[in-house]
């Protein structure tokens, strides 16, 4: 398989057992050359080692996506190592829920700085350096398209990601750079209290309220991200990989 | 390439255009492809093309608007292969007429092929997939016209809007059985030469000028190729999309993002 052989991809938020790491392994298995970023150095190195151990090329760079200086360094180092950029996977994100009355303005600004500013900065600084025909995948959320009680910060920030994706898609179209939003449903990672050793009751609750009666896994997202990287004519689109939850439109209606 | 190895997949409208491109791609990925359409010479030509590359295909004559025809396609497929894994409801008709010019008969004819045909494919496809109980994938070919309006495309919009929500309703209903239903929404697709279009859709010749005039409005400044739509079909029938149901893949070069 070599749908994206020798293409250079930057993947943010690749420093834990989750979508970023799984995407790194998937894109590498198709021949991509990787830069993986995130704040946790130990886990970032682990991701780098895992990719190299399966025969891929990968370099971890410590990165806070809300820092413009950090972004400039990541892009410069990518150019230094590989010479160009083809794909940007804006995956790093923050999630928490809290009643709006108990959410401070600093809380709200914090989640927006990671989810909105982080995505915006990545696109702003990468686009000028990307090869024509490249692709940006912004990992938004099902919650960028619907409401979640006590999720005002998360929903607002992901809604912004979904919306700016379309604007940048139009701006980048003249260079045939594709920009799309991926909308995961509940993915069993530490972000939602899942992953290895996660609460089985919680997992079963999520399964029962999802039409396809499955829990989403990072590898499901990685497959969709690969699809979006390799597809030449999809841009400005919203791709839901959510087991049918948005189609169902009634979260929790299946839960017993 | 074997992302679909040993899967048996029915593709309606497989004799030309997107359907033909999908049949060839799915076969190249290892699937047993059942090519169905009404025009025997076109269907046989695609079957022959696939067999010549030592891949697996069988043409079956099929009118997607007839229940008996669906029954025959399912039965004949199951005499050849042990189970049916996916159905691609791709067959559709075309109409480019103002509301006043479009006769009720034309409207009903379009709905009959593009919406009723998808409903029957969903119904018979579900029954077939249920026989083995291991789940499967049904792909519904819709259009960007399920999301936006366009002049002279009222019948198409009605049909494709229906297909989109039929897919979502079915996704909710069939999810627990691991039968996934997703829709694809192409914008303009480079399907036919002008001569082929004139032969296939003599009532809709104004569409040729419309399409040429509107390419400039597509952010990508070109139509999609049939192969690009076929790749989305491949993704949706493959195990790469096992957590995806009730979803839409819009492939329009940015047309409706603006």
């Amino acid at each position: 398989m070599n749908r994206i052989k020798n293409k250079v991809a930057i993947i943010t938020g690749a420093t834990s057992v989750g979508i970023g790491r799984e995407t790194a392994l998937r894109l590498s298995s198709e021949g991509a050359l990787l830069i993986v970023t995130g704040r946790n150095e130990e886990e970032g190195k682990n991701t780098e080692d895992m990719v190299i151990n399966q025969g891929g090329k990968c370099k971890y760079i410590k990165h806070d996506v809300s820092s413009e200086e950090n972004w400039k360094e990541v892009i410069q180092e990518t150019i230094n190592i590989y010479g160009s950029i083809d794909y940007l996977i804006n995956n790093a994100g923050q999630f928490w829920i809290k009643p709006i009355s108990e959410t401070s303005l600093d809380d709200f600004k914090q989640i927006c700085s990671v989810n909105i500013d982080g995505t915006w900065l990545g696109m702003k600084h990468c686009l000028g350096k990307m090869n024509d025909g490249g692709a940006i995948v912004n990992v938004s959320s099902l919650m960028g398209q619907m409401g979640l009680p006590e999720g005002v910060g998360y929903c607002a920030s992901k809604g912004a990601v979904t919306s700016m994706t379309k604007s940048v898609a139009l701006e980048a179209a003249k260079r045939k750079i594709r920009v799309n939003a991926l909308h995961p449903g509940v993915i069993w990672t530490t972000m939602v209290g899942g992953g290895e050793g996660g609460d089985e009751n919680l997992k079963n609750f999520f399964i029962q309220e999802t039409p396809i009666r499955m829990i989403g896994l990072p590898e499901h997202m990685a497959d969709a991200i690969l699809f979006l990287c390799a597809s030449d004519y999809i841009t400005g689109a919203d791709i839901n990989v959510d087991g049918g939850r948005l189609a169902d439109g009634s979260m929790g209606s299946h839960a017993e | 390439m074997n992302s679909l190895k040993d899967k048996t997949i029915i593709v309606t409208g497989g004799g030309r255009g997107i359907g033909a491109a999908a049949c060839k791609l799915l076969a190249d990925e290892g699937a047993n492809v059942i090519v169905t359409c009404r025009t025997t010479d076109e269907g046989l030509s695609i079957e022959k093309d696939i067999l010549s590359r030592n891949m697996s295909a069988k043409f079956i004559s099929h009118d997607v608007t007839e229940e008996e025809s669906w029954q025959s396609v399912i039965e004949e497929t199951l005499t050849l292969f042990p189970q049916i894994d996916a159905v691609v409801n791709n067959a559709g008709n075309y109409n480019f007429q103002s509301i006043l010019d479009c006769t009720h008969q034309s409207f009903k004819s379009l709905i009959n092929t593009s919406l009723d045909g998808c409903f029957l494919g969903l119904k018979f496809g579900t029954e077939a997939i249920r026989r083995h109980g291991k789940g499967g994938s049904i792909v519904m070919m819709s259009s960007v016209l399920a999301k936006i309006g366009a002049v002279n495309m009222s019948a198409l919009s009605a049909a494709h809007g229906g297909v989109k929500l039929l897919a979502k309703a079915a996704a909710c209903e069939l999810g627990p059985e691991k039968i996934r239903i997703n829709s694809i929404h192409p914008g303009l697709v480079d399907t036919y030469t002008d001569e082929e279009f004139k032969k296939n859709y003599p009532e809709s010749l104004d569409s040729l000028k419309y399409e040429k005039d509107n390419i400039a409005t597509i952010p990508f400044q070109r139509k999609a190729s049939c192969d690009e739509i076929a790749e989305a079909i491949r993704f949706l029938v493959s195990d790469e999309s096992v957590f995806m149901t009730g979803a839409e893949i819009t492939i329009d070069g940015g047309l409706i993002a603006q």
Side-chain angles (χ1 to χ4, degrees):
Chain A
M1 302 289 272
N2 54 5
R3 281 178 266 181
I4 55 172
K5 192 170 173 58
N6 292 331
K7 301 285 187 184
V8 177
I10 298 173
I11 305 168
T12 70
T15 52
S16 63
V17 181
I19 296 172
R21 177 174 287 168
E22 203 60 45
T23 299
L25 293 166
R26 189 77 178 94
L27 298 192
S28 172
S29 73
E30 295 277 340
L33 314 174
L34 304 183
I35 296 292
V36 295
T37 82
R39 288 177 302 174
N40 185 325
E41 288 183 71
E42 187 181 346
E43 289 295 338
K45 282 279 184 193
N46 283 340
T47 303
E48 179 185 289
D49 289 345
M50 289 167 83
V51 172
I52 290 170
N53 287 341
Q54 71 169 26
K57 288 192 174 166
C58 183
K59 168 77 174 166
Y60 162 71
I61 303 174
K62 186 174 167 67
H63 184 201
D64 172 357
V65 294
S66 65
S67 159
E68 187 160 25
E69 282 310 307
N70 269 202
W71 265 112
K72 288 177 183 172
E73 290 159 14
V74 164
I75 287 159
Q76 189 54 54
E77 196 162 344
T78 305
I79 300 290
N80 291 346
I81 294 171
Y82 297 121
S84 63
I85 303 169
D86 296 288
Y87 306 130
L88 168 64
I89 315 302
N90 273 317
N91 167 66
Q94 195 181 83
F95 171 80
W96 43 255
I97 54 173
K98 201 185 274 191
I100 186 168
S101 57
E102 295 170 22
T103 302
S104 69
L105 185 56
D106 281 346
D107 289 338
F108 189 76
K109 283 180 175 174
Q110 168 60 23
I111 199 167
C112 288
S113 77
V114 176
N115 294 352
I116 303 177
D117 297 6
T119 302
W120 182 81
L121 285 168
M123 292 196 287
K124 175 180 168 64
H125 289 288
C126 261
L127 260 180
K129 309 279 187 185
M130 282 179 90
N131 289 324
D132 289 2
I136 296 173
V137 180
N138 292 326
V139 179
S140 183
S141 168
L142 175 60
M143 297 307 154
Q145 301 168 304
M146 62 192 293
L148 173 70
E150 304 185 358
V152 61
Y154 189 68
C155 292
S157 62
K158 290 300 190 182
V161 170
T162 299
S163 181
M164 68 178 156
T165 296
K166 294 187 193 299
S167 287
V168 180
L170 298 176
E171 203 171 316
K174 55 182 172 292
R175 293 177 50 213
K176 302 292 184 280
I177 292 174
R178 295 154 290 117
V179 187
N180 294 292
L182 176 71
H183 295 95
V186 176
I187 308 303
W188 194 238
T189 65
T190 51
M191 188 182 256
V192 298
E196 203 172 322
D199 180 347
E200 284 299 312
N201 289 332
L202 180 65
K203 187 177 179 180
N204 286 330
F205 170 79
F206 287 139
I207 289 171
Q208 287 306 314
E209 69 168 16
T210 302
I212 202 151
R213 300 292 191 274
M214 283 169 64
I215 193 79
L217 297 173
E219 65 211 54
H220 300 144
M221 302 306 115
D223 282 331
I225 288 168
L226 170 62
F227 170 71
L228 286 173
C229 286
S231 301
D232 288 337
Y233 196 68
I234 301 179
T235 193
D238 304 315
I239 305 295
N240 280 66
V241 184
D242 63 3
R245 284 177 65 140
L246 185 69
D248 187 38
S250 51
M251 285 186 62
S253 66
H254 300 287
E256 290 166 4
Chain B
M1 304 287 271
N2 56 8
S3 67
L4 304 172
K5 189 167 166 47
D6 295 332
K7 286 187 191 289
T8 299
I9 303 171
I10 296 170
V11 181
T12 71
R16 59 170 91 141
I18 294 169
C23 286
K24 292 176 188 177
L25 177 62
L26 304 185
D28 285 347
E29 289 286 336
N32 306 308
V33 177
I34 306 298
V35 184
T36 89
C37 60
R38 285 181 301 183
T39 317
T40 301
D41 57 341
E42 289 180 339
L44 284 174
S45 162
I46 301 303
E47 177 194 87
K48 186 178 170 191
D49 182 288
I50 293 170
L51 293 176
S52 73
R53 286 180 284 161
N54 293 320
M55 298 298 175
S56 173
K58 172 68 181 172
F59 163 68
I60 303 176
S61 180
H62 186 199
D63 178 347
V64 294
T65 67
E66 296 291 338
E67 293 196 58
E68 297 76 16
S69 183
W70 270 105
Q71 194 67 51
S72 301
V73 167
I74 300 291
E75 282 171 10
E76 190 170 344
T77 301
L78 289 174
T79 63
L80 299 166
F81 302 105
Q83 67 180 46
I84 292 167
D85 299 285
V87 175
V88 180
N89 285 309
N90 167 71
N93 211 332
Y94 190 80
N95 181 293
F96 185 85
Q97 288 180 309
S98 73
I99 291 168
L100 293 184
D101 287 341
C102 182
T103 63
H104 192 199
Q105 191 54 44
S106 290
F107 183 85
K108 285 195 287 190
S109 169
L110 192 283
I111 296 287
N112 193 30
T113 308
S114 298
L115 180 56
D116 295 8
C118 270
F119 170 74
L120 291 176
L122 178 62
K123 189 178 171 68
F124 282 91
T126 296
E127 284 178 357
I129 292 169
R130 259 186 191 158
R131 292 192 198 187
H132 58 78
K134 288 180 278 190
S137 173
I138 297 178
V139 177
M140 309 284 260
M141 189 57 67
S142 179
S143 152
V144 291
L145 293 171
K147 297 156 171 262
I148 56 164
V151 173
N152 292 340
M153 295 196 180
S154 56
L156 276 169
S157 290
H160 288 145
V163 168
K164 179 181 81 169
L165 286 173
L166 181 58
K168 290 194 196 306
C172 297
E173 194 170 317
L174 302 171
E177 298 175 62
K178 302 283 186 287
I179 301 174
R180 303 183 294 112
I181 325 288
N182 295 288
S183 54
I184 296 180
H185 301 264
L188 293 178
V189 184
D190 199 6
T191 313
Y192 303 117
T193 63
D194 287 2
E195 288 65 37
E196 287 167 336
F197 187 90
K198 286 174 188 166
K199 181 180 150 203
N200 294 331
Y201 306 107
E203 286 184 349
S204 300
L205 297 183
D206 290 346
S207 174
L208 289 172
K209 181 174 184 315
Y210 171 88
E211 290 205 7
K212 287 192 173 75
D213 289 347
N214 280 278
I215 286 177
T217 68
I218 304 170
F220 263 39
Q221 302 277 301
R222 67 170 176 89
K223 298 183 191 180
S225 69
C226 291
D227 289 342
E228 286 168 334
I229 311 299
E231 171 55 22
I233 292 171
R234 185 206 65 78
F235 176 68
L236 288 176
V237 297
S238 79
D239 292 341
E240 293 167 31
S241 58
V242 287
F243 192 57
M244 202 163 167
T245 191
E248 304 164 16
I249 296 183
T250 299
I251 314 179
D252 67 350
L255 184 66
I256 66 167
Q258 55 192 342

